[in-house]
Amino acid sequence: MLVPSGEKQTLRYEQAHQRALIWYKKYPELLQIEQRIAELLRNMETDNSQEINSRLAEVRQQHEQLLDRNNIPQTYKSPKFDCEKCQDSGWIAIRDSAASQNYGYDVQRVVKCKCLINAEQQQMLNKLFKVSRLSPAMKRQTFELFRLDYYSDIELVEEGYSHRQIMEFNKKLAERFVAKMEQASREEAVCEVKGLYLQGDPGVGKTFLCSAIANELLKRKIPVLYLPFVDFLYQLRGSFGDRSKKVEEFVDAARNVTVLILDDLGSESRTEFSQEILFSILNYRTNNLDKPTIISSNYTIDELKNMYHPRIASRIRIQADILHCVGEDLREIMK
């Protein structure tokens, strides 16, 4: 995947040109009208008479009628940028207030666009962590493919809702989380978005929902780090003898990534080291609510109190909404 750059911007213009050629081939008169418009605009540089302006308006009207008649989109030859702000170049010009005040006129300076900062962060995460990449199967786990029909629609008297209704609600909360993160990224402002804690028995769809969240965030160019917690600990221990990769480097990346997904919390061997690492990450992210954390576990938040130091469960409660995942083991159903 191309990061925002001059190369990516050039590619977008080339793709737009190729799309336009397809329309020209299908409707040759489209290119002819465009050429007449261009010729009239050149003539206006030396002759801005009423006659030229009338002819230009007439040809432009013919152009619009041709588009409408043949359902040709108005953007038929416009580049489709992932980021309209920098047009996929990765750089934007902003006003330098201090310099403008000093020199008495507007001074612009070129800075990295948020999309380039996000892309570089995601590249760093992918390179640093062996365990963070979604498997091919997980890349196919999306909200659209989340099968609610796998869950029973028989209402449970003690809960008042069926498994299907509960999981449909959980899916909506997960989708709402993605929407809030997209809004925060678009507004480029500190936005306090609460994380999610998905608790429930094995095989009820917790990891599927985590994968769906990760896939949607990646699609929107929002940096996300997906970590099965037990594998993360193995990688940390494996880095002890590698001077090029310090434990602090891995932990800092987990602390600072825009969205962190810790999958299958509780499956690891609980040691002082693992609890220290977990608390360090959660405590930092709890104090920075613009960095939400998604956690899945086979254990309820109340059970975590007896498994970990109480302050870990406390941090999770503060920074995450709790989603109780229910149902039969989907892995058995899909065999």
Side-chain angles (χ1 to χ4, degrees), residues 66-107:
L66 177 63
L67 297 185
D68 291 340
R69 188 166 60 249
N70 297 286
N71 293 319
I72 302 173
Q74 293 284 340
T75 57
Y76 68 95
K77 61 177 183 178
S78 300
K80 296 179 180 179
F81 298 114
D82 291 330
C83 178
E84 291 293 339
K85 190 171 184 179
C86 70
Q87 297 188 339
D88 287 355
S89 70
W91 299 87
I92 55 174
I94 64 170
R95 184 174 184 273
D96 188 321
S97 300
S100 297
Q101 186 174 1
N102 288 337
Y103 292 107
Y105 58 85
D106 275 354
V107 176

Side-chain angles (χ1 to χ4, degrees), residues 1 12 30 100 121 142 179 220 245 260 262 293:
M1 182 179 67
R12 293 292 182 253
L30 178 60
S100 297
Q121 184 182 39
T142 63
R220 289 159 174 75
K245 293 181 179 178
L260 174 65
L262 293 178
T293 308

